[in-house]
Amino acid sequence: MVKVRAPMGSGRRRTESVGPGHQTPLTTGTVVRWSAVGILVTCSVLVLILPWPLPYEQTVDEIMEERSGYLQEQCRMIAEATGNGSDHLFPASGGSRQYQQPFHNYFLQPRLGLLWCSISKVASTTWMYQFNRWAGVPGEKIAYAASDLKALARMYYPVPTRTEVQQMKQNPEQFAESPVVRFLLVRDPIDRFVSAYEDLIVRPQSANYRNLRRFIFREVHGVDVPAGTTQSGNATSLPVPSFSDFTEFVLRKTRVLDPHWNTYYNLCDPCFLQPTVIVKLETYERDVTYLLQRLNLTSTPGAGDRFEVHRLNVNNHRASAGDFQGDPEAKRASTMARLVELSGEQFERLYRRYELDFRLFQYDASQYFALFRDD
C-alpha cells in the first residue's frame, strides 16, 4: 500500500485555522494596528478626564496689571454713567459724594520711588512705621510716637499737591530717583468694617473711642447710656454698643467719617491716583514680595533700605486671625458672625455705602447677601 504524503506544511495550516484552543501568531502589521488603536483610545480618555484647555497660572506681574487695568476700566465706566470726570466719582446709591482731600493720605518716598496712599485698618501701621524708618527716624522715636505715626511721618513727607501727583503719573522720573510706583493696600470692605468695630469699639485703646460709645448710644437710642446703666458711669464703664448700633451710627453719619471706616474712594480717590500696584490683604505676603522686588528692596538685616518684615502689624483683637497670614476661613466666619446681628435692610444700606469699594477692587459680596435672602 502506497502512502500518499500530504504536502509539507498543509497540516500545520489546517490546525492553525480551526479549533478554539489554537491562536494565530500576530504579524508585525497587526501589532502596529493594535498599538495605534490603543494610543487613540488613551488619548480620547485623557481628553475627557483632563481639563481642556489646561489651566494657565497667571504671574504676579499679570495679576497686578489686571487689577490696575480693571480699576481704570471701572473708573471710566462710572464716569461715563454719572457724567462726571473720573476725578470726582459719586456713590452708586446716589447723593453727594463726601469728598475729602485725599492727598493728605498720600506719602511719596522719593529715594525709593514709592507713592502710597494710607488707608486705616489695612496694614497702615506697618507701612507708616516703614516710611518713618526710610526717613531715618530711630526706632525709639517711632515707639514713643506710636499713637500717631502719621503725624510723625508728615514731618518728613510733605503733602503733595494735586499738580505734583498728576505730574508723577505723567513724568515720574522728575520726582524720584527711579520711576514712581503708585500703590494701595486694600482688603474686603466688610471685613475691614467689622475689624474697625472690634478694635475701636469693643476694645478701644484710646479715650476718644471709649467716649465714642456714648455718642453711638445718643445717636441710635437718644440717650447717653442705655436704660439700666448708671448715668454717672465714665467712658470706661459704658456698655459696649452692639454691632447693629455701631452700623446704624456709621450709616447715619454722612458728613464726618472716621478714617477707620471711611471708604477707599473717599480716602484715596483711586480713579485719580491710578495705582500701578494694588496689594490685597488676602494675598498680602505674595503681593508685598512682588512690590519689594519692583523697588529692589530687601528684608536682609543690616541692609540700607529694607523692609522690616518683623514689624508686620498684628491684629490681636480678631479672634479669627493672629496676623495677616491668619486662617482666611476663620476670619470669614468671624465677619459672618457679626453680620447676622444686622437686619437685611441694614446690610443693604451698609453695602451701598461701600459699593464702589467692592466694585473698583473686585470684591464679591454675594456671600454676605446670602445671609439675608430670607429677610
Side-chain angles (χ1 to χ4, degrees):
M1 181 176 178
V2 180
K3 294 183 179 179
V4 180
R5 298 179 60 187
M8 185 176 295
S10 61
R12 182 181 305 163
R13 286 194 299 270
R14 187 163 49 246
T15 58
E16 289 173 349
S17 63
V18 296
H22 298 83
Q23 295 182 350
T24 303
L26 296 177
T27 64
T28 301
T30 303
V31 172
V32 172
R33 284 195 298 273
W34 280 106
S35 297
V37 170
I39 293 173
L40 180 61
V41 171
T42 300
C43 292
S44 300
V45 171
L46 290 176
V47 169
L48 292 175
I49 66 175
L50 290 178
W52 189 260
L54 293 176
Y56 170 72
E57 184 175 353
Q58 286 182 300
T59 65
V60 182
D61 191 63
E62 291 171 332
I63 291 173
M64 292 301 170
E65 289 183 4
E66 180 183 336
R67 288 177 181 177
S68 179
Y70 181 88
L71 170 65
Q72 294 185 41
E73 176 64 16
Q74 290 299 307
C75 291
R76 183 190 63 78
M77 293 172 60
I78 294 170
E80 291 178 354
T82 59
N84 298 289
S86 60
D87 293 347
H88 299 285
L89 297 181
F90 287 78
S93 57
S96 63
R97 177 180 187 268
Q98 300 305 314
Y99 186 81
Q100 297 183 2
Q101 174 57 271
F103 310 115
H104 287 292
N105 296 316
Y106 286 19
F107 292 82
L108 172 66
Q109 192 2 286
R111 188 175 66 258
L112 302 180
L114 185 62
L115 178 63
W116 167 54
C117 182
S118 170
I119 298 176
S120 298
K121 300 304 300 172
V122 193
S124 59
T125 302
T126 294
W127 284 88
M128 206 65 73
Y129 173 90
Q130 287 297 149
F131 269 72
N132 278 294
R133 292 293 290 139
W134 287 331
V137 182
E140 297 78 11
K141 186 175 182 179
I142 295 176
Y144 181 78
S147 61
D148 198 352
L149 293 182
K150 184 175 183 178
L152 179 61
R154 273 288 169 240
M155 297 174 62
Y156 306 93
Y157 301 99
V159 178
T161 66
R162 182 181 183 83
T163 300
E164 287 174 336
V165 175
Q166 187 66 46
Q167 290 177 348
M168 286 178 204
K169 295 189 294 184
Q170 298 173 349
N171 302 295
E173 294 83 1
Q174 297 180 4
F175 293 86
E177 296 179 10
S178 59
V180 176
V181 175
R182 306 182 301 276
F183 92 106
L184 285 178
L185 290 125
V186 297
R187 69 192 291 188
D188 181 292
I190 296 298
D191 184 64
R192 172 175 174 256
F193 184 75
V194 172
S195 179
Y197 168 72
E198 294 188 352
D199 283 353
L200 302 173
I201 306 302
V202 177
R203 286 168 287 270
Q205 300 299 306
S206 70
N208 288 338
Y209 288 103
R210 285 191 291 270
N211 286 321
L212 182 60
R213 294 177 176 180
R214 192 187 308 276
F215 292 107
I216 292 175
F217 287 128
R218 183 183 301 169
E219 176 67 33
V220 177
H221 300 289
V223 294
D224 285 352
V225 291
T229 303
T230 304
Q231 290 286 339
S232 60
N234 57 35
T236 58
S237 64
L238 283 175
V240 179
S242 68
F243 182 66
S244 177
D245 288 343
F246 170 69
T247 301
E248 191 64 30
F249 170 80
V250 171
L251 292 175
R252 291 182 186 183
K253 296 297 182 181
T254 58
R255 294 294 179 184
V256 180
L257 296 177
D258 188 285
H260 294 87
W261 50 81
N262 203 344
T263 59
Y264 300 150
Y265 66 85
N266 262 349
L267 291 170
C268 290
D269 201 354
C271 290
F272 174 72
L273 178 62
Q274 296 177 336
T276 50
V277 174
I278 299 173
V279 174
K280 292 191 174 184
L281 204 64
E282 294 79 6
T283 51
Y284 182 85
E285 184 176 2
R286 181 201 67 188
D287 296 352
V288 169
T289 298
Y290 168 82
L291 176 62
L292 298 182
Q293 290 174 347
R294 284 196 58 168
L295 298 172
N296 294 318
L297 290 179
T298 177
S299 59
T300 304
D305 288 321
R306 64 188 183 94
F307 186 78
E308 301 183 20
V309 293
H310 67 280
R311 288 294 304 186
L312 286 179
N313 185 34
V314 176
N315 185 0
N316 294 316
H317 299 329
R318 296 302 296 275
S320 59
D323 53 30
F324 297 156
Q325 307 307 317
D327 182 359
E329 293 299 325
K331 181 176 290 186
R332 186 176 299 112
S334 174
T335 297
M336 293 294 196
R338 288 298 185 187
L339 288 181
V340 296
E341 300 177 29
L342 305 181
S343 67
E345 184 269 343
Q346 276 184 309
F347 176 74
E348 177 74 20
R349 291 160 59 208
L350 182 63
Y351 172 75
R352 294 304 172 193
R353 171 66 64 85
Y354 295 100
E355 185 174 7
L356 273 183
D357 288 351
F358 273 96
R359 180 174 175 180
L360 295 177
F361 297 101
Q362 297 174 278
Y363 282 105
D364 181 16
S366 60
Q367 59 181 328
Y368 303 133
F369 277 103
L371 292 174
F372 304 96
R373 284 175 181 167
D374 296 332
D375 283 11

